[in-house]
Amino acid sequence: MREKELEVDDERLLATLEHNRTAQPSPASMAKIFLMVMLYYPLSITLTFYQKWFINIYKLPLLVAMCHYVVKYLIAILVRRVIECVREKRLRVALRDQLRWLAPIGVCASFDIGLSNWALKYVTVSLYTMAKSTSILFIVAFALFLRLERWRASLGVAAVLIASGLFLFTWRSSQLDVRGLLLIELAAACTGVRWTVSQLVMQSEQKCSLKHPLDMIIHVQPWMLLAILPLVFLFEGSELSFETIFFYGGTFAPIQILLLITLGGLLALSMEMAGKVLLSDFRG
């Protein structure tokens, strides 16, 4: 019985995605997408440089990423509480549906951000930016696998050009750090799963569908936090101490550290909101 319900849900989901794919976006929707793109990329670039600068001094990238998740979750919860005071109660997703759809998004998003932060410890921003562009390849691959996209020759050409560009950029590069490059590519693979499954959820008509970016962020952040906790203790546990956590640039500065981490969390939240709006409006 349960298998039949899942089959019906999957068929309904595929029908919804097919309708979304063939629907023509309105001018207002196109303007909204353009605005979100213009917001997303400056925020992404700003966050990358900010994280590179901060991690060069505060050398706990995974801990910083974990703190960002907490900041994003608390701010999102606060905003939802304010909204619910003046409007109706927002959507809550059952644990079973979270395990099926949202947990994979949260785990992959956590690894994506955590590994990206970690990679910035070893590579330059230019190499990071170039290598992370391969996330497009993973997004396309998973989109094809999940039937969010149809195969076109242009996709193959774009994939070859991106892969060739990365090879030429890293070939005999004096700035190449293999460890950092591997971390970036692992993060890029997680990006592919993260955004394709997010689009699947945000554009579906199932009861676990989360149309609003705020709802999506609130439900995904706890899974992100659970996913990164083992990595923090496994890879940075030996480095965690009173001095490494509360000292910044050799000075005891817990308030400054808190403010800097909160600022990074705000940038990350703004970027994620813009990305989720794009997913909810974009039709592949």
Side-chain angles (χ1 to χ4, degrees):
M1 185 67 181
R2 177 61 182 162
E3 291 180 358
K4 289 183 178 180
E5 290 179 359
L6 292 176
E7 288 178 2
V8 171
D9 286 344
D10 290 340
E11 290 176 0
R12 190 181 304 155
L13 176 59
L14 290 174
T16 301
L17 293 173
E18 182 63 27
H19 175 267
N20 289 341
R21 185 161 45 213
T22 56
Q24 293 296 324
S26 65
S29 179
M30 291 298 295
K32 187 177 180 182
I33 291 172
F34 177 76
L35 178 60
M36 289 301 104
V37 170
M38 295 302 293
L39 283 174
Y40 182 85
Y41 282 102
L43 286 169
S44 177
I45 293 169
T46 302
L47 183 61
T48 299
F49 279 99
Y50 180 82
Q51 288 296 91
K52 177 65 175 177
W53 166 77
F54 184 48
I55 290 170
N56 278 341
I57 303 173
Y58 193 77
K59 301 183 183 298
L60 296 170
L62 294 177
L63 180 65
V64 171
M66 185 184 73
C67 293
H68 283 176
Y69 302 162
V70 175
V71 170
K72 289 191 293 180
Y73 182 69
L74 293 177
I75 294 175
I77 286 289
L78 178 62
V79 172
R80 183 175 71 175
R81 182 60 61 88
V82 172
I83 292 175
E84 288 181 338
C85 288
V86 296
R87 297 183 182 179
E88 70 279 359
K89 190 175 182 180
R90 300 202 64 83
L91 176 68
R92 265 69 169 178
V93 178
L95 180 60
R96 184 182 66 180
D97 292 322
Q98 288 194 43
L99 288 171
R100 184 184 179 192
W101 294 105
L102 303 182
I105 296 173
V107 171
C108 289
S110 183
F111 288 168
D112 175 15
I113 298 170
L115 294 174
S116 296
N117 269 13
W118 196 2
L120 285 171
K121 188 176 179 180
Y122 304 109
V123 301
T124 62
V125 172
S126 57
L127 177 59
Y128 170 85
T129 304
M130 186 64 192
K132 193 65 186 289
S133 66
T134 57
S135 59
I136 299 172
L137 303 180
F138 292 102
I139 290 173
V140 170
F142 285 109
L144 290 170
F145 177 74
L146 295 174
R147 302 183 189 178
L148 292 171
E149 275 283 355
R150 291 176 177 172
W151 170 256
R152 300 188 299 272
S154 58
L155 292 177
V157 173
V160 171
L161 290 175
I162 292 172
S164 301
L166 177 62
F167 172 76
L168 292 174
F169 187 84
T170 56
W171 185 49
R172 294 186 178 180
S173 173
S174 59
Q175 298 177 331
L176 177 62
D177 186 296
V178 176
R179 176 173 46 183
L181 183 61
L182 288 176
L183 288 172
I184 296 171
E185 293 310 312
L186 286 173
C190 292
T191 300
V193 179
R194 170 192 182 185
W195 290 111
T196 49
V197 179
S198 293
Q199 184 177 356
L200 202 65
V201 171
M202 296 188 74
Q203 292 186 5
S204 74
E205 298 298 333
Q206 296 184 348
K207 60 182 178 180
C208 66
S209 176
L210 295 169
K211 301 294 185 183
H212 199 283
L214 183 66
D215 296 326
M216 187 70 166
I217 289 172
I218 289 173
H219 284 86
V220 167
Q221 294 306 308
W223 298 108
M224 294 174 65
L225 190 60
L226 287 175
I228 203 171
L229 270 173
L231 296 182
V232 172
F233 288 106
L234 181 63
F235 294 106
E236 294 182 351
S238 60
E239 302 175 34
L240 297 179
S241 66
F242 182 82
E243 289 188 359
T244 57
I245 295 175
F246 295 107
F247 277 68
Y248 183 76
T251 306
F252 180 68
I255 302 300
Q256 183 181 2
I257 293 170
L258 178 62
L259 291 175
L260 290 172
I261 289 177
T262 302
L263 177 57
L266 285 170
L267 287 172
L269 176 63
S270 302
M271 188 181 77
E272 193 165 346
M273 285 287 289
K276 293 293 192 296
V277 171
L278 279 172
L279 283 184
S280 63
D281 284 348
F282 183 74
R283 302 290 182 262

